[in-house]
Amino acid sequence: MTQSRRVLVVGGGGREHALAWKLSRDGAEVLVAPGNAGTAAIAENLPVAVDDIPALVALARDRRVDLTVVGPEAPLVAGIVDAFEAAGLRIFGPTARAAQLEGSKLFCKKILHRGDVPTAMFREFRSAAAAHKYLESREDTPVVVKADGLAAGKGVFVCADREAALAAVATLADDPQFATAAGGILVEERLDGVEVSVMAITDGRTIVTLPPLQDHKAAYDGDQGPNTGGMGAYCPTPFVDAALLADIEARILVPTVHAMRRAKVPFHGVLFAGLMLTSQGPKVLEFNARFGDPECEALLVRLESSLLDLVDATADRRLETVPPPTWRPGASVTVVMAAEGYPAAAPKGRPIRGLDAAAAVEGVHVFHAATRLADGIPVTDGGRVLAVTAVDDSLARAKLRAYTAVKEIRWPGGWCRKDIADKGIRREREILASEPDADAGVPRPLAETGDPA
Ligand code: AMP
Ligand code: GLY
């Protein structure tokens, strides 16, 4: 059995800070490329970019790295796992072909079809003109227009009607970024319901399903404003109970892993399903081939058993030998603190104050997402700056702790959503209220019970 001692984490965001933090707690000596001001405090940062695959291979060799864990999707889609494995280096993540599950929405749809996995109905078009013609000819219902290739969350347009859908197709046709991407355009039926994230670790045969989370993709409170990479997350989400999670595993995750193997594209790494809980049951919105960010931060603070054992075993394709992971009871909440203007381009280099006071709040971990050290002081270095994460015995209490820490932190223009986890907290209250005898023994005024006065 391999127990990696020296682990390289590839990436520089909040997800990678959380991975480096957990792997070092599990006993690994951690290197991060390129890392951020947060990882610098717990690991060794190395100035190699995530897309410089030859330099990463050389780094892993020179530094005698036992295992590499890849955070972001771009190097996976570009073939980092293939390059490492060809060089005889152990690595956690899917091959370039398997990462097409995230990198190509069309490939994803084909796999879902093969596995008979529930997802939105769709049509594929090779040109904007063909998509335009189709939209004009069909009934005017809500649709989602998507560019086929990786577009960092920007190639998706949720459209209320035909007019909006035609405008989205025109935007894709005009934008060189999408015109040069894989080329295809998908038009999908719009699904309605609650959106949740379910991740699993798999070695291609065995699958370990992780607790369900909910992300907050819209920029502003009340799910208003532009789509972002995620403004906060919480774990577990009460929208997915144990029975639904078992159903998602059986009808979505397992058939997808099998369909990938049957297609001769075995998937190993993190299988991350973005799901819509519709009135007809859970349906796949998308798959990602990596941990979510900020989902990873909210997840890992609750993982009591070893992450290192899971990623080690996945790299060796012996995940069945690892006991099921154990989770801290209660809940976790991650609040993303963003720079002025995010998700548009944000100013960089602003000194961040109050990090120590925030980290001193009980149950709180301040993961850095886009920071760097300038003369020894952490400064902002991008849009999503920090992922302030708290654990406690309930969602409401974890939320309180996270925002208590957030209040300690400041830099000019820094902001966050104020309502992270509120949907989950409301849902918990509904569940409690609907349980028979949930409030038995609580005296109520007669008028409210409907008893004759
Ligand atoms: P994707 O990158 O495909 O996950 O899309 C980004 C976001 O667009 C998702 O997180 C959803 O909020 C939304 N979305 C994508 N596809 C659909 C759909 N078929 N129906 C409703 N919303 C969707
Ligand atoms: N938080 C969503 C993602 O990582 O894609």
Side-chain angles (χ1 to χ4, degrees), residues 56-416:
L56 291 167
V57 168
L59 169 65
R61 242 198 217 128
D62 294 348
R63 295 296 302 269
R64 301 184 176 282
V65 165
D66 296 309
L67 175 72
T68 297
V69 177
V70 185
E73 63 275 20
L76 294 169
V77 172
I80 189 171
V81 170
D82 311 70
F84 270 64
E85 288 183 345
L89 294 163
R90 294 171 67 248
I91 187 162
F92 174 84
T95 61
R97 286 185 67 217
Q100 287 302 301
L101 204 55
E102 171 165 4
S104 163
K105 296 189 186 301
L106 197 55
F107 177 85
C108 177
K109 285 291 194 192
K110 286 183 179 152
I111 292 294
L112 291 173
H113 182 71
R114 265 180 179 244
D116 202 15
V117 176
T119 185
M121 285 187 295
F122 80 105
R123 293 279 297 260
E124 174 210 355
F125 302 95
R126 287 279 115 205
S127 72
H132 187 105
K133 200 168 148 202
Y134 167 74
L135 285 165
E136 295 242 280
S137 71
R138 74 188 286 285
E139 204 188 332
D140 188 356
T141 59
V143 293
V144 182
V145 175
K146 299 184 177 182
D148 181 31
L150 259 195
K154 282 182 284 187
V156 177
F157 302 83
V158 180
C159 306
D161 54 24
R162 178 187 292 146
E163 194 186 331
L166 290 173
V169 169
T171 304
L172 287 180
D174 288 346
D175 190 323
Q177 188 192 342
F178 301 120
T180 53
I185 293 179
L186 274 65
V187 177
E188 272 187 20
E189 80 180 298
R190 191 186 76 189
L191 300 176
D192 293 310
V194 173
E195 218 177 310
V196 297
S197 303
V198 176
M199 296 184 276
I201 293 177
T202 177
D203 64 358
R205 285 180 305 134
T206 301
I207 160 165
V208 175
T209 301
L210 308 172
L213 298 101
Q214 189 169 47
D215 188 9
H216 297 63
K217 288 203 172 140
Y220 312 133
D221 285 15
D223 289 339
Q224 301 298 305
N227 201 45
T228 72
M231 296 300 297
Y234 65 91
C235 177
T237 176
F239 288 101
V240 181
D241 61 15
L244 181 55
L245 190 63
D247 188 52
I248 289 167
E249 182 179 277
R251 297 203 306 136
I252 293 175
L253 300 172
V254 168
T256 300
V257 169
H258 284 163
M260 291 291 281
R261 210 177 54 226
R262 281 203 310 277
K264 306 245 178 324
V265 197
F267 188 97
H268 33 81
V270 176
L271 182 63
F272 165 174
L275 302 170
M276 191 71 92
L277 304 179
T278 75
S279 53
Q280 297 155 352
K283 294 191 180 183
V284 174
L285 290 171
E286 63 165 345
F287 272 118
N288 294 313
R290 48 158 179 96
F291 284 110
D293 191 356
E295 286 94 334
C296 186
E297 294 90 308
L299 186 77
L300 291 186
V301 292
R302 294 195 53 231
L303 178 56
E304 283 178 336
S305 52
S306 170
L307 174 67
L308 186 57
D309 286 350
L310 290 169
V311 291
D312 254 339
T314 301
D316 299 338
R317 317 280 185 265
R318 50 165 182 82
L319 194 50
E320 80 283 359
T321 63
V322 180
T326 55
W327 303 93
R328 182 193 193 282
S332 59
V333 172
T334 296
V335 177
V336 169
M337 295 185 75
E340 191 178 352
Y342 178 79
K348 296 183 179 179
R350 305 238 158 119
I352 306 167
R353 307 198 191 282
L355 288 167
D356 291 340
V361 178
E362 199 185 339
V364 166
H365 301 275
V366 180
F367 295 119
H368 290 224
T371 66
R372 68 186 162 81
L373 289 173
D375 300 325
I377 293 169
V379 300
T380 68
D381 198 33
R384 290 194 294 173
V385 176
L386 299 169
V388 179
T389 302
V391 284
D392 206 330
D393 297 336
S394 71
L395 260 185
R397 293 172 66 126
K399 179 192 169 186
L400 189 65
R401 278 185 170 171
Y403 281 103
T404 302
V406 162
K407 277 207 201 89
E408 298 288 345
I409 300 172
R410 60 213 166 265
W411 72 85
W415 61 281
C416 65

